[in-house]
Amino acid sequence: MQEELVKKATQYLANTYTRFPIVVTKGEGCWLWDVNGRRYLDFLAGIAVCNLGHAHQNVVEALTAQAKKLFHVSNLFYMEPQIKAAQMLVEHSFGDKVFFCNSGAEANEAAIKLARRYSWDRHGEGRHEIIAMDNSFHGRTINTLAATGQKKFGVGFEPLTGGFVHVPFNDLAAVESAITERTCAVMLELVQAEGGVYVADKEYVTGLRELTKEKDILLILDEVQTGIGRTGAFFAYEHFGITPDVMSLAKALGNGFPVGAMVATDAVMSAFVPGTHASTFGGNPLASAAVLATLNTLIDDSVIKNCADSGKYLCKGLLALKKRFPFIADVRGLGLIWGVELSIDADATAKEFLEEGVILNCTKGTTLRLVPPLIVKKEEIDIFLDIANRIFERKKG
Ligand SMILES: *Cc1c(COP(=O)(O)O)cnc(C)c1O
């Protein structure tokens, strides 16, 4: 049955992903089941999306209740769940106002548009350039591809949109020398996730904040992957003792329900007025119900504390593995986003994990990325470490 479905998928689906050869039918907590009933330990969580684990009761109940009342009316109306979701985000972040959309790329598009419009309001034309980082990832739309600092994603899609300048990550002097009278914003991920899990240095981030303030340039943080508890703080910027002007969110915001958001300070968000930006679906009642249930659970059930604790435990285990196996070149991360850099074939290694019943993925070609649900327990991390040990032992030969 599984093979037949995979064959059918090849016939009917656009060939945009190299997929794992299993058909997933059910999830619960940190576990997934395929169509044959085989169980897998999920250390990918739908690519850092299902932070509360699969089928979390609070989210299921909130969505079910909302679905019976109202799916969608458009943003030509006020909706209680949307207002409450925005209030919740504001009360737990630096931001004053929220724009809802449907994905990470779209949240970044909104951030890019807002930065340009804000600058245009204050300084007039010509101040539209955004400094972004090498090795970054901001999405797959034409604009966010242009912002992305990895050439391979843009190949064959040229011309990409202009107005982006790239500099090396973690290099404050490079940003400083790239600033011109055309610069309106600096945009970055505090942990370059798709790029192989590289964490920004604290002095770099505080330096960027000072520099951008001094030059009246906006600081945009792409927290699409790092937000909503992933790093052991509600938002990654909390680790760095700074606040940005603009932040994009998506992935874990609805625990799997597709929803994105762009959060900004009052002063900056005031550049958006009716007619400047919009989204038909953005923050519709169903999406907002998912956001509310996700954020409430994250806060009430001390999920972020579990993330920090489990993250430390996982880190310790990974460092022990690194000591034993010389082909583990590096272990990098924060909270529950970890990269294990391998000098052996990481893609093939990820496949071996799947064969042993563990789901994780390979990013940047050489890094195993671990982003389990934030509710992961020590016993589940032990299962993962046991299997990792067994696979690496085999590799050692
Ligand atoms: C996943 C991701 C995006 C793109 O999000 P989509 O929902 O796939 O459009 C953008 N930025 C970062 C940092 C991401 O991890």
Side-chain angles (χ1 to χ4, degrees):
M1 165 117 117
Q2 189 146 266
E3 258 166 58
E4 246 168 71
L5 280 168
V6 169
K7 225 161 129 192
K8 223 175 183 171
T10 318
Q11 185 179 349
Y12 291 114
L13 289 173
N15 188 26
T16 51
Y17 278 89
T18 307
R19 296 175 195 259
F20 293 110
I22 58 171
V23 179
V24 182
T25 53
K26 192 179 87 167
E28 198 186 309
C30 297
W31 298 87
L32 287 174
W33 283 262
D34 73 12
V35 70
N36 293 331
R38 184 171 178 203
R39 191 173 83 137
Y40 301 83
L41 180 60
D42 184 11
F43 266 44
L44 185 56
I47 319 185
V49 165
C50 303
N51 281 9
L52 305 177
H54 298 284
H56 194 288
Q57 195 187 343
N58 295 356
V59 185
V60 172
E61 280 173 7
L63 276 170
T64 312
Q66 187 58 50
K68 286 180 182 160
K69 282 195 279 191
L70 181 70
F71 273 42
H72 179 88
V73 283
S74 90
N75 286 306
L76 297 174
F77 299 88
Y78 295 102
M79 297 149 258
E80 206 177 340
Q82 190 187 67
I83 299 162
K84 284 184 172 165
Q87 181 182 358
M88 191 103 185
L89 277 173
V90 165
E91 284 176 356
H92 290 89
S93 77
F94 73 94
D96 302 310
K97 285 201 163 59
V98 181
F99 173 84
F100 283 110
C101 53
N102 312 288
S103 70
E106 217 186 321
N108 284 331
E109 287 279 348
I112 292 163
K113 279 183 72 176
L114 181 67
R116 287 195 182 162
R117 182 75 180 207
Y118 174 77
S119 187
W120 182 82
D121 278 351
R122 281 166 75 86
H123 304 279
E125 276 174 33
R127 199 177 185 270
H128 60 268
E129 231 168 56
I130 296 177
I131 298 173
M133 303 305 146
D134 289 344
N135 196 47
S136 60
F137 182 81
H138 298 299
R140 301 286 199 154
T141 61
I142 283 287
N143 240 321
T144 57
L145 266 186
T148 292
Q150 299 181 70
K151 287 222 159 54
K152 65 178 179 191
F153 292 118
V155 173
F157 298 114
E158 299 89 353
L160 301 179
T161 326
F164 296 92
V165 175
H166 290 92
V167 296
F169 184 58
N170 262 335
D171 184 344
L172 185 61
V175 176
E176 198 162 6
S177 54
I179 292 174
T180 68
E181 69 280 0
R182 292 184 303 278
T183 312
C184 69
V186 173
M187 178 174 182
L188 76 156
E189 304 155 89
L190 293 174
V191 181
Q192 291 193 325
E194 301 300 310
V197 191
Y198 289 92
V199 183
D201 297 334
K202 192 159 182 186
E203 313 79 72
Y204 169 65
V205 176
T206 48
L208 270 182
R209 181 64 284 190
E210 279 167 26
L211 180 65
T212 47
K213 269 212 175 113
E214 182 195 310
K215 305 263 182 188
D216 194 19
I217 289 167
L218 297 180
L219 182 63
I220 304 172
L221 294 182
D222 180 345
E223 292 237 23
V224 168
Q225 189 150 168
T226 53
I228 322 299
R230 174 56 59 189
T231 65
F234 211 124
F235 302 106
Y237 68 76
E238 295 167 33
H239 292 288
F240 298 83
I242 60 119
T243 59
D245 303 298
V246 182
M247 164 173 80
S248 53
L249 298 171
K251 287 197 166 81
L253 185 56
N255 204 52
F257 195 93
V259 56
M262 187 270 287
V263 181
T265 59
D266 240 335
V268 177
M269 197 69 101
S270 67
F272 272 177
V273 293
T276 48
H277 196 53
S279 165
T280 299
F281 291 130
N284 85 5
L286 218 45
S288 294
V291 173
L292 262 181
T294 301
L295 297 182
N296 272 320
T297 307
L298 201 74
I299 292 156
D300 294 348
D301 297 357
S302 39
V303 177
I304 295 175
K305 184 175 183 313
N306 187 74
C307 169
D309 294 345
S310 291
K312 278 189 195 126
Y313 189 71
L314 177 60
C315 170
K316 233 170 77 187
L318 293 174
L319 289 175
L321 288 174
K322 180 172 178 280
K323 261 201 178 135
R324 294 196 53 197
F325 302 105
F327 49 76
I328 300 181
D330 196 13
V331 167
R332 304 180 290 262
L334 198 63
L336 278 173
I337 174 164
W338 287 91
V340 179
E341 185 77 21
L342 298 180
S343 59
I344 52 171
D345 188 340
D347 237 340
T349 309
K351 283 193 187 103
E352 282 182 55
F353 271 94
L354 184 74
E355 281 157 24
E356 296 277 352
V358 173
I359 293 175
L360 48 74
N361 91 325
C362 165
T363 184
K364 204 195 72 179
T366 53
T367 314
L368 296 179
R369 175 177 42 179
L370 313 177
V371 279
L374 309 187
I375 56 158
V376 70
K377 296 198 252 343
K378 288 207 166 110
E379 303 89 83
E380 289 158 334
I381 292 174
D382 284 336
I383 295 172
F384 164 78
L385 290 170
D386 274 351
I387 291 172
N389 197 58
R390 191 173 345 144
I391 291 171
F392 291 150
E393 198 63 59
R394 266 199 321 254
K395 296 265 175 203
K396 209 169 149 190

mmCIF file of all heavy atoms in Angstrom, residues 17 47 102-108 137-141 144 189 191-194 222-226 248 250-251 259 369, ligand 1:
data_model
loop_
_atom_site.group_PDB
_atom_site.id
_atom_site.type_symbol
_atom_site.label_atom_id
_atom_site.label_comp_id
_atom_site.label_asym_id
_atom_site.label_seq_id
_atom_site.Cartn_x
_atom_site.Cartn_y
_atom_site.Cartn_z
ATOM 1 N N TYR A 17 10.081 18.298 -3.852
ATOM 2 C CA TYR A 17 10.733 17.816 -2.629
ATOM 3 C C TYR A 17 11.331 16.431 -2.843
ATOM 4 O O TYR A 17 10.744 15.600 -3.526
ATOM 5 C CB TYR A 17 9.716 17.689 -1.487
ATOM 6 C CG TYR A 17 9.417 18.985 -0.756
ATOM 7 C CD1 TYR A 17 8.421 19.830 -1.186
ATOM 8 C CD2 TYR A 17 10.142 19.333 0.380
ATOM 9 C CE1 TYR A 17 8.144 21.015 -0.513
ATOM 10 C CE2 TYR A 17 9.874 20.514 1.058
ATOM 11 C CZ TYR A 17 8.873 21.349 0.615
ATOM 12 O OH TYR A 17 8.603 22.509 1.280
ATOM 13 N N ILE A 47 9.332 20.102 10.397
ATOM 14 C CA ILE A 47 10.304 21.192 10.212
ATOM 15 C C ILE A 47 10.063 22.316 11.233
ATOM 16 O O ILE A 47 9.680 23.437 10.875
ATOM 17 C CB ILE A 47 10.366 21.743 8.772
ATOM 18 C CG1 ILE A 47 10.292 20.599 7.747
ATOM 19 C CG2 ILE A 47 11.634 22.556 8.577
ATOM 20 C CD1 ILE A 47 10.462 21.033 6.297
ATOM 21 N N ASN A 102 -0.003 34.012 6.112
ATOM 22 C CA ASN A 102 -0.202 32.556 6.063
ATOM 23 C C ASN A 102 1.061 31.724 6.026
ATOM 24 O O ASN A 102 0.980 30.504 6.018
ATOM 25 C CB ASN A 102 -1.047 32.211 4.835
ATOM 26 C CG ASN A 102 -2.267 33.102 4.740
ATOM 27 O OD1 ASN A 102 -3.194 32.947 5.520
ATOM 28 N ND2 ASN A 102 -2.232 34.051 3.836
ATOM 29 N N SER A 103 2.223 32.350 5.951
ATOM 30 C CA SER A 103 3.450 31.557 5.854
ATOM 31 C C SER A 103 4.649 32.423 6.242
ATOM 32 O O SER A 103 4.512 33.644 6.411
ATOM 33 C CB SER A 103 3.650 31.057 4.422
ATOM 34 O OG SER A 103 3.966 32.144 3.576
ATOM 35 N N GLY A 104 5.798 31.786 6.341
ATOM 36 C CA GLY A 104 7.018 32.495 6.697
ATOM 37 C C GLY A 104 7.458 33.459 5.610
ATOM 38 O O GLY A 104 7.837 34.603 5.888
ATOM 39 N N ALA A 105 7.413 32.986 4.362
ATOM 40 C CA ALA A 105 7.820 33.845 3.251
ATOM 41 C C ALA A 105 6.936 35.092 3.211
ATOM 42 O O ALA A 105 7.417 36.214 3.015
ATOM 43 C CB ALA A 105 7.725 33.082 1.934
ATOM 44 N N GLU A 106 5.666 34.875 3.451
ATOM 45 C CA GLU A 106 4.720 35.991 3.399
ATOM 46 C C GLU A 106 4.942 36.966 4.565
ATOM 47 O O GLU A 106 4.758 38.180 4.405
ATOM 48 C CB GLU A 106 3.307 35.413 3.465
ATOM 49 C CG GLU A 106 2.322 36.132 2.609
ATOM 50 C CD GLU A 106 0.924 35.608 2.845
ATOM 51 O OE1 GLU A 106 0.755 34.381 3.018
ATOM 52 O OE2 GLU A 106 0.003 36.431 2.880
ATOM 53 N N ALA A 107 5.316 36.430 5.724
ATOM 54 C CA ALA A 107 5.619 37.302 6.862
ATOM 55 C C ALA A 107 6.854 38.146 6.546
ATOM 56 O O ALA A 107 6.916 39.339 6.873
ATOM 57 C CB ALA A 107 5.848 36.468 8.122
ATOM 58 N N ASN A 108 7.844 37.539 5.878
ATOM 59 C CA ASN A 108 9.041 38.296 5.495
ATOM 60 C C ASN A 108 8.731 39.318 4.402
ATOM 61 O O ASN A 108 9.284 40.420 4.405
ATOM 62 C CB ASN A 108 10.153 37.343 5.052
ATOM 63 C CG ASN A 108 10.806 36.658 6.240
ATOM 64 O OD1 ASN A 108 10.849 37.228 7.341
ATOM 65 N ND2 ASN A 108 11.306 35.450 6.045
ATOM 66 N N PHE A 137 18.324 32.137 5.195
ATOM 67 C CA PHE A 137 17.153 31.628 4.462
ATOM 68 C C PHE A 137 15.926 32.411 4.875
ATOM 69 O O PHE A 137 15.593 32.469 6.052
ATOM 70 C CB PHE A 137 16.930 30.134 4.717
ATOM 71 C CG PHE A 137 15.764 29.595 3.928
ATOM 72 C CD1 PHE A 137 15.925 29.256 2.590
ATOM 73 C CD2 PHE A 137 14.503 29.474 4.493
ATOM 74 C CE1 PHE A 137 14.846 28.789 1.835
ATOM 75 C CE2 PHE A 137 13.412 29.023 3.747
ATOM 76 C CZ PHE A 137 13.590 28.669 2.420
ATOM 77 N N HIS A 138 15.244 33.005 3.887
ATOM 78 C CA HIS A 138 14.065 33.809 4.211
ATOM 79 C C HIS A 138 12.812 33.409 3.445
ATOM 80 O O HIS A 138 11.780 34.059 3.594
ATOM 81 C CB HIS A 138 14.364 35.294 3.991
ATOM 82 C CG HIS A 138 15.460 35.816 4.884
ATOM 83 N ND1 HIS A 138 15.361 35.808 6.261
ATOM 84 C CD2 HIS A 138 16.703 36.303 4.604
ATOM 85 C CE1 HIS A 138 16.475 36.296 6.787
ATOM 86 N NE2 HIS A 138 17.308 36.597 5.803
ATOM 87 N N GLY A 139 12.893 32.381 2.596
ATOM 88 C CA GLY A 139 11.683 31.927 1.912
ATOM 89 C C GLY A 139 11.887 31.754 0.422
ATOM 90 O O GLY A 139 12.969 31.988 -0.109
ATOM 91 N N ARG A 140 10.812 31.345 -0.268
ATOM 92 C CA ARG A 140 10.903 30.919 -1.667
ATOM 93 C C ARG A 140 10.151 31.822 -2.641
ATOM 94 O O ARG A 140 10.074 31.503 -3.826
ATOM 95 C CB ARG A 140 10.348 29.498 -1.802
ATOM 96 C CG ARG A 140 11.065 28.473 -0.957
ATOM 97 C CD ARG A 140 12.408 28.139 -1.543
ATOM 98 N NE ARG A 140 12.888 26.876 -1.005
ATOM 99 C CZ ARG A 140 13.745 26.083 -1.642
ATOM 100 N NH1 ARG A 140 14.208 26.417 -2.823
ATOM 101 N NH2 ARG A 140 14.154 24.974 -1.086
ATOM 102 N N THR A 141 9.549 32.912 -2.166
ATOM 103 C CA THR A 141 8.949 33.848 -3.116
ATOM 104 C C THR A 141 10.092 34.631 -3.770
ATOM 105 O O THR A 141 11.221 34.610 -3.272
ATOM 106 C CB THR A 141 8.003 34.830 -2.399
ATOM 107 O OG1 THR A 141 8.766 35.574 -1.440
ATOM 108 C CG2 THR A 141 6.869 34.096 -1.690
ATOM 109 N N THR A 144 11.735 37.074 -1.252
ATOM 110 C CA THR A 144 12.443 36.458 -0.126
ATOM 111 C C THR A 144 13.616 35.614 -0.618
ATOM 112 O O THR A 144 14.580 35.411 0.115
ATOM 113 C CB THR A 144 11.486 35.624 0.761
ATOM 114 O OG1 THR A 144 10.847 34.633 -0.031
ATOM 115 C CG2 THR A 144 10.445 36.510 1.420
ATOM 116 N N GLU A 189 18.461 36.135 10.703
ATOM 117 C CA GLU A 189 18.024 35.090 11.640
ATOM 118 C C GLU A 189 19.045 35.062 12.767
ATOM 119 O O GLU A 189 20.247 35.115 12.498
ATOM 120 C CB GLU A 189 18.046 33.719 10.979
ATOM 121 C CG GLU A 189 17.253 33.566 9.708
ATOM 122 C CD GLU A 189 17.839 32.433 8.862
ATOM 123 O OE1 GLU A 189 17.423 31.285 9.044
ATOM 124 O OE2 GLU A 189 18.730 32.698 8.030
ATOM 125 N N VAL A 191 19.434 32.472 14.702
ATOM 126 C CA VAL A 191 20.033 31.158 14.458
ATOM 127 C C VAL A 191 19.761 30.839 12.988
ATOM 128 O O VAL A 191 18.607 30.730 12.585
ATOM 129 C CB VAL A 191 19.409 30.048 15.336
ATOM 130 C CG1 VAL A 191 20.092 28.710 15.063
ATOM 131 C CG2 VAL A 191 19.481 30.399 16.813
ATOM 132 N N GLN A 192 20.815 30.748 12.189
ATOM 133 C CA GLN A 192 20.630 30.414 10.773
ATOM 134 C C GLN A 192 20.284 28.937 10.694
ATOM 135 O O GLN A 192 21.146 28.063 10.804
ATOM 136 C CB GLN A 192 21.897 30.722 9.984
ATOM 137 C CG GLN A 192 22.155 32.220 9.869
ATOM 138 C CD GLN A 192 23.214 32.544 8.838
ATOM 139 O OE1 GLN A 192 24.175 31.774 8.665
ATOM 140 N NE2 GLN A 192 23.075 33.670 8.168
ATOM 141 N N ALA A 193 18.993 28.659 10.524
ATOM 142 C CA ALA A 193 18.499 27.297 10.691
ATOM 143 C C ALA A 193 18.711 26.445 9.444
ATOM 144 O O ALA A 193 19.471 25.461 9.481
ATOM 145 C CB ALA A 193 17.034 27.354 11.088
ATOM 146 N N GLU A 194 18.067 26.851 8.346
ATOM 147 C CA GLU A 194 18.234 26.089 7.100
ATOM 148 C C GLU A 194 19.694 26.090 6.671
ATOM 149 O O GLU A 194 20.169 25.161 6.032
ATOM 150 C CB GLU A 194 17.381 26.691 5.976
ATOM 151 C CG GLU A 194 15.891 26.739 6.249
ATOM 152 C CD GLU A 194 15.275 25.381 6.497
ATOM 153 O OE1 GLU A 194 15.505 24.471 5.696
ATOM 154 O OE2 GLU A 194 14.584 25.229 7.517
ATOM 155 N N ASP A 222 14.122 37.606 11.458
ATOM 156 C CA ASP A 222 13.341 36.496 10.924
ATOM 157 C C ASP A 222 13.322 35.407 11.991
ATOM 158 O O ASP A 222 14.262 34.643 12.125
ATOM 159 C CB ASP A 222 13.973 36.002 9.618
ATOM 160 C CG ASP A 222 13.188 34.838 9.007
ATOM 161 O OD1 ASP A 222 12.349 34.246 9.720
ATOM 162 O OD2 ASP A 222 13.437 34.510 7.828
ATOM 163 N N GLU A 223 12.229 35.383 12.768
ATOM 164 C CA GLU A 223 12.072 34.371 13.824
ATOM 165 C C GLU A 223 11.057 33.307 13.402
ATOM 166 O O GLU A 223 10.386 32.697 14.226
ATOM 167 C CB GLU A 223 11.671 35.026 15.152
ATOM 168 C CG GLU A 223 12.774 35.883 15.757
ATOM 169 C CD GLU A 223 13.152 35.453 17.187
ATOM 170 O OE1 GLU A 223 12.919 34.283 17.561
ATOM 171 O OE2 GLU A 223 13.699 36.311 17.913
ATOM 172 N N VAL A 224 10.970 33.103 12.087
ATOM 173 C CA VAL A 224 10.029 32.116 11.559
ATOM 174 C C VAL A 224 10.320 30.724 12.151
ATOM 175 O O VAL A 224 9.403 29.993 12.516
ATOM 176 C CB VAL A 224 10.086 32.081 10.015
ATOM 177 C CG1 VAL A 224 9.350 30.871 9.453
ATOM 178 C CG2 VAL A 224 9.497 33.369 9.439
ATOM 179 N N GLN A 225 11.597 30.400 12.279
ATOM 180 C CA GLN A 225 11.943 29.071 12.812
ATOM 181 C C GLN A 225 12.310 29.117 14.304
ATOM 182 O O GLN A 225 12.098 28.156 15.034
ATOM 183 C CB GLN A 225 13.115 28.459 12.023
ATOM 184 C CG GLN A 225 13.375 27.015 12.371
ATOM 185 C CD GLN A 225 13.945 26.179 11.242
ATOM 186 O OE1 GLN A 225 14.399 25.085 11.447
ATOM 187 N NE2 GLN A 225 13.926 26.657 10.017
ATOM 188 N N THR A 226 12.841 30.248 14.767
ATOM 189 C CA THR A 226 13.343 30.324 16.147
ATOM 190 C C THR A 226 12.276 30.786 17.147
ATOM 191 O O THR A 226 12.467 30.631 18.353
ATOM 192 C CB THR A 226 14.525 31.311 16.222
ATOM 193 O OG1 THR A 226 14.119 32.555 15.644
ATOM 194 C CG2 THR A 226 15.735 30.781 15.510
ATOM 195 N N SER A 248 9.364 38.549 12.030
ATOM 196 C CA SER A 248 8.460 37.669 11.292
ATOM 197 C C SER A 248 8.341 36.333 12.009
ATOM 198 O O SER A 248 9.310 35.827 12.580
ATOM 199 C CB SER A 248 8.972 37.463 9.864
ATOM 200 O OG SER A 248 10.314 37.031 9.873
ATOM 201 N N ALA A 250 6.154 32.334 11.813
ATOM 202 C CA ALA A 250 5.251 31.414 11.100
ATOM 203 C C ALA A 250 5.390 30.034 11.736
ATOM 204 O O ALA A 250 4.923 29.839 12.847
ATOM 205 C CB ALA A 250 5.530 31.382 9.609
ATOM 206 N N LYS A 251 6.102 29.160 11.067
ATOM 207 C CA LYS A 251 6.245 27.749 11.460
ATOM 208 C C LYS A 251 5.411 27.287 12.670
ATOM 209 O O LYS A 251 4.336 26.757 12.498
ATOM 210 C CB LYS A 251 7.726 27.413 11.629
ATOM 211 C CG LYS A 251 8.424 27.335 10.254
ATOM 212 C CD LYS A 251 9.748 26.637 10.304
ATOM 213 C CE LYS A 251 10.240 26.269 8.925
ATOM 214 N NZ LYS A 251 10.891 27.330 8.165
ATOM 215 N N VAL A 259 -0.163 29.477 9.403
ATOM 216 C CA VAL A 259 -0.393 30.879 9.776
ATOM 217 C C VAL A 259 0.957 31.562 9.990
ATOM 218 O O VAL A 259 1.901 30.958 10.488
ATOM 219 C CB VAL A 259 -1.279 30.972 11.044
ATOM 220 C CG1 VAL A 259 -0.706 30.210 12.222
ATOM 221 C CG2 VAL A 259 -1.548 32.430 11.436
ATOM 222 N N ARG A 369 19.929 18.065 11.260
ATOM 223 C CA ARG A 369 19.203 19.067 12.047
ATOM 224 C C ARG A 369 18.209 18.373 12.967
ATOM 225 O O ARG A 369 17.392 17.578 12.518
ATOM 226 C CB ARG A 369 18.463 20.046 11.144
ATOM 227 C CG ARG A 369 17.605 21.006 11.988
ATOM 228 C CD ARG A 369 16.909 22.056 11.173
ATOM 229 N NE ARG A 369 16.347 21.541 9.937
ATOM 230 C CZ ARG A 369 15.682 22.303 9.078
ATOM 231 N NH1 ARG A 369 15.516 23.568 9.311
ATOM 232 N NH2 ARG A 369 15.195 21.765 7.967
HETATM 233 C C1 LIG B 1 10.905 28.155 6.954
HETATM 234 C C2 LIG B 1 11.468 29.490 6.963
HETATM 235 C C3 LIG B 1 10.989 30.509 6.121
HETATM 236 C C4 LIG B 1 9.939 30.262 5.074
HETATM 237 O O1 LIG B 1 8.718 29.890 5.626
HETATM 238 P P1 LIG B 1 7.556 29.314 4.677
HETATM 239 O O2 LIG B 1 6.390 29.155 5.620
HETATM 240 O O3 LIG B 1 8.044 28.014 4.127
HETATM 241 O O4 LIG B 1 7.309 30.308 3.619
HETATM 242 C C5 LIG B 1 11.536 31.764 6.261
HETATM 243 N N1 LIG B 1 12.500 32.027 7.149
HETATM 244 C C6 LIG B 1 12.985 31.086 7.976
HETATM 245 C C7 LIG B 1 14.045 31.430 8.956
HETATM 246 C C8 LIG B 1 12.495 29.778 7.909
HETATM 247 O O5 LIG B 1 12.997 28.835 8.694
#
